[in-house]
Amino acid sequence: MTLAAGHGFLSPTGTEIAFLLVGVVTLGAAVITVTTRQLVHAALWLVVALGGIAVEYLLLTAEFIAWVQVLIYVGSVVVLLLFGLMLTKAPIGRSPDADSGNRPAALAVAVAAAAALVWVVVDAFRTTWIDLDGPVQGSTRVTGEMLFRNWVLPFEALSVLLLAALVGAIVLSRKGDSGAEGKR
């Protein structure tokens, strides 16, 4: 009796099992991020969700994209979010303002958006085949050339937007302190 050389759908490899487990943890962290009523906890669960996505990229052997995910999203965006929370004097504990009571409507919109996204992606790539014998498409060189040739302007616009958000948070936090400066 000989064993088949390849593996099929019903015999996943360790990488595929790890991918599935990390995906479940990432999905759980994302759900907790949007359902918690504590803003700081939401930011910390966002770190877990974004870190899980970086691990998924590592499992897909896209190391460059994984490190970009860690540096830009986990490092910069979440730190900016936490600074914004601190500078605007957002409540640390439970916040009654964090829940508007529209959870059923929000859930319906989220499910509809997810279904539409899955349908569009499946429809767009239904007949797409990847040539595994051709040149490597996800290498650092190809990805870098694509980013710096076609996507420089959106990245710069995003950096200006994040800077404006940070400056806006600082201005909002200073408005309440203007009376204290006049008394000195």
Side-chain angles (χ1 to χ4, degrees), residues 35-68:
T35 58
T36 186
R37 292 182 184 201
Q38 297 183 359
L39 295 175
V40 175
H41 289 179
L44 295 176
W45 279 109
L46 181 63
V47 170
V48 174
L50 294 173
I53 292 172
V55 171
E56 296 285 37
Y57 283 133
L58 283 175
L59 290 172
L60 291 171
T61 66
E63 295 87 6
F64 177 72
I65 301 298
W67 287 115
V68 167

Side-chain angles (χ1 to χ4, degrees), residues 61-66 68 136-151 155:
T61 66
E63 295 87 6
F64 177 72
I65 301 298
V68 167
V136 177
Q137 295 295 319
S139 69
T140 306
R141 179 181 180 158
V142 171
T143 305
E145 286 176 359
M146 182 64 107
L147 284 176
F148 292 119
R149 186 171 293 144
N150 301 328
W151 296 99
F155 277 114

Side-chain angles (χ1 to χ4, degrees), residues 62-124:
E63 295 87 6
F64 177 72
I65 301 298
W67 287 115
V68 167
Q69 173 79 18
V70 169
L71 291 174
I72 292 177
Y73 289 103
V74 176
S76 304
V77 172
V78 173
V79 167
L80 183 69
L81 179 66
L82 289 173
F83 272 126
L85 288 173
M86 289 186 295
L87 290 173
T88 58
K89 299 175 185 163
I92 300 297
R94 289 186 170 266
S95 174
D97 296 337
D99 189 11
S100 68
N102 293 328
R103 284 184 187 253
L107 180 63
V109 169
V111 168
L117 181 63
V118 167
W119 179 74
V120 166
V121 169
V122 167
D123 189 51

Side-chain angles (χ1 to χ4, degrees), residues 174-184:
R174 298 287 182 205
K175 276 190 175 180
D177 297 338
S178 61
E181 288 180 15
K183 293 180 182 178
R184 288 189 204 174

